[in-house]
Amino acid sequence: MQLSHNTILITGGTSGIGLAFAKEFKQRDNTVIICGRREDKLEQIMLQHPGIITHVCDVADEKQREELVEWLVTNYPDVNVLINNAGIQLDTDLTNPCNLDRVRAEIETNLVAPIHLSSLMAPHLRDKNGAAIINISSGLAFAPLAFMPVYCATKAAIHSISLSLRHQLKDTHVKVFEIAPPSVDTELGHDRREDKDQSHGGIPVDEFLAGAIEALQNDVYEAAIGQAQQLREKREELFEMMNK
């Protein structure tokens, strides 16, 4: 994948991995557009990182996704890269009646939104040089943590969707990447923490980013970064260890 002179949309770009991608690609002479739910965070990013373009959008909402793509292709018709990064991570006890609103929110954000956005963008991307769809999955797609079963299932589905989408676009110029992070030090999963400002733990974002950029640069279409590689290769063994 070419890493400069693109026009890139990044979902979930207000923090963590999404914001790290935005800053990295901006430094590499790309036009970078991020979207997120929090208008205050987007305004703060515009002030701190001049040149990053922002747009308010809750990707869990079907209508807002459609409006986002319409706005995007109208105002930035050169857009040629979609990074499906937005995600939420919730714990779910399947041994008792679960809160279906939380389950639906997790599935809509983590799975339905990337499917829908990819399908909306694919006809536009087919005509663009250097086009790419980059799906952010997780090492937990391969060896899940049992206390967050819905999150892990959505990431396993993103792995499967990426395979199918890559096959469907094989006769076009659109490259389809799957980047599977390990545990990365971001705010992901703050819902289950008493201190909402506490981070997730895991490797530094910059360490993950270096591995992801290397994979994109070398056209590694399925890249498990760091410990995510072990989760993919030793899934049964590590599942038992992780869930003791």
Side-chain angles (χ1 to χ4, degrees), residues 35-65:
C35 69
R37 293 173 297 166
R38 297 175 290 182
E39 187 172 1
D40 58 332
K41 289 286 289 183
L42 292 170
E43 290 176 351
Q44 183 180 2
I45 289 166
M46 281 194 296
L47 292 173
Q48 293 176 344
H49 306 285
I52 292 180
I53 301 158
T54 66
H55 190 79
V56 178
C57 176
D58 181 357
V59 297
D61 183 280
E62 177 183 349
K63 184 177 180 181
Q64 290 190 46
R65 293 192 297 261

Side-chain angles (χ1 to χ4, degrees), residues 126-195:
R126 279 197 291 261
D127 297 327
K128 299 298 177 184
N129 292 325
I133 296 173
I134 302 168
N135 292 328
I136 307 302
S137 62
S138 171
L140 298 178
F142 309 108
L145 281 170
F147 74 88
M148 53 175 78
V150 179
Y151 174 83
C152 298
T154 62
K155 293 303 184 179
I158 286 294
H159 169 65
S160 178
I161 287 291
S162 298
L163 291 171
S164 296
L165 182 60
R166 189 178 301 124
H167 180 79
Q168 291 185 5
L169 290 170
K170 63 184 175 64
D171 295 325
T172 75
H173 297 297
V174 186
K175 298 178 178 181
V176 178
F177 294 89
E178 177 195 354
I179 306 294
S183 178
V184 180
D185 192 15
T186 69
E187 66 178 27
L188 184 68
H190 65 83
D191 174 82
R192 65 177 179 273
R193 294 191 286 271
E194 290 186 14
D195 181 358

